[in-house]
Amino acid sequence: MELRTIGFHNLWEIVRLSVKESQKSFVASNTVSLLEAYAALSSGCTALPFGLYEGEQPVGFVMFGYGKTEDGDEPDIAEGNYCLWRFMIDERFQGKGLGRKALEASLRYLQTFPCGEAGYCWLSYEPENTVARALYQSAGFIETGATCGNERVAVLELRKTIPT
């Protein structure tokens, strides 16, 4: 599994990726995510969007943040830490273990500290998204009791070994 930057060469193949209809309330489309990345970057905030590739096949999308953004809805843990802002696997590739591989590759990338040192990676998810919750818990994320909007917040200490 490989994280690849998004540019003119692969923009539309990443935009075309989509989750199942029943999951669309859990995660924004890749188009919306890329628009939010642009807005964050133009506001001086951090957004790191990547296509997720298995070999030459685009199978998903991930986007990271670092520190706080201007939307003011982040939990306190956001300050000086990484955020797994978006994470999706296309509906055609779900149920094949690629979500786990993509999450592990994503966390290994964050452990390189591309924007600077940090102690934690945080994320949030809808309480009804039991599949995402199980995946994140299996990687070591622990719910904090905090919320981000209506979503549950979970954190992972970045210095820990990522389960494989």
Side-chain angles (χ1 to χ4, degrees):
M1 182 66 59
E2 182 182 357
L3 281 65
R4 294 188 189 168
T5 57
I6 298 171
F8 288 119
H9 64 286
N10 65 349
L11 173 66
W12 296 110
E13 64 187 18
I14 298 302
V15 166
R16 281 191 291 270
L17 299 175
S18 182
V19 295
K20 297 174 184 174
E21 192 63 37
S22 63
Q23 299 168 321
K24 289 186 178 179
S25 65
F26 296 148
V27 64
S29 71
N30 295 344
T31 301
V32 168
S33 295
L34 290 167
L35 288 169
E36 288 180 346
Y38 175 81
L41 292 168
S42 67
S43 298
C45 300
T46 301
L48 303 168
F50 295 96
L52 295 167
Y53 284 77
E54 181 70 1
E56 292 305 309
Q57 180 67 53
V59 299
F61 173 81
V62 65
M63 185 163 73
F64 309 106
Y66 180 75
K68 293 211 174 206
T69 64
E70 293 181 355
D71 84 0
D73 193 28
E74 297 107 340
D76 292 338
I77 192 81
E79 187 66 42
N81 287 301
Y82 289 93
C83 173
L84 183 56
W85 190 348
R86 291 285 153 65
F87 183 77
M88 67 81 70
I89 300 296
D90 183 83
E91 64 183 324
R92 297 168 296 157
F93 302 103
Q94 292 180 16
K96 300 177 182 190
L98 296 178
R100 181 171 310 283
K101 283 178 71 173
L103 183 58
E104 291 167 0
S106 296
L107 294 173
R108 280 192 302 274
Y109 170 75
L110 287 183
Q111 287 178 319
T112 69
F113 303 107
C115 298
E117 287 290 321
Y120 297 94
C121 174
W122 71 276
L123 53 77
S124 65
Y125 52 87
E126 299 284 343
E128 301 82 20
N129 194 347
T130 57
V131 173
R133 181 180 190 217
L135 176 64
Y136 298 142
Q137 285 181 338
S138 74
F141 281 89
I142 298 169
E143 289 183 9
T144 66
T147 58
C148 183
N150 295 325
E151 297 182 350
R152 292 181 178 161
V153 172
V155 300
L156 173 75
E157 190 175 340
L158 286 173
R159 300 260 179 230
K160 289 188 174 183
T161 302
I162 304 304
T164 55

